[in-house]
Amino acid sequence: MPNFNQNEFNSIREVAMSQLTSASKLEAYAKDCDCEETKAMFTNAAASSKQSAQKLTNML
């Protein structure tokens, strides 16, 4: 596990939280879509954002 200073730790945590916020918004957009292709695009993007957040969190 890398040793991060406080600023690095806070930055990584902030980006992870931003990714989770994005995932939540993308899931909401997907829920409102009538087009299955667009719905899938938003759903996949949300899953990718969640995965990124998890990877960042695991670094901490």
Side-chain angles (χ1 to χ4, degrees):
M1 173 186 280
N3 291 326
F4 296 111
N5 66 39
Q6 192 64 41
N7 286 337
E8 293 167 330
F9 177 85
N10 289 339
S11 292
I12 293 169
R13 186 181 59 172
E14 192 173 315
V15 172
M17 293 304 295
S18 176
Q19 288 293 315
L20 291 175
T21 300
S22 294
S24 179
K25 288 180 180 184
L26 289 163
E27 288 172 339
Y29 299 153
K31 183 181 173 189
D32 291 339
C33 283
D34 293 329
C35 173
E36 289 303 316
E37 187 175 338
T38 305
K39 179 178 253 179
M41 180 188 69
F42 283 131
T43 301
N44 291 339
S48 179
S49 290
K50 284 182 180 180
Q51 185 179 31
S52 294
Q54 185 61 48
K55 285 180 182 179
L56 288 166
T57 302
N58 289 342
M59 290 174 50
L60 304 176

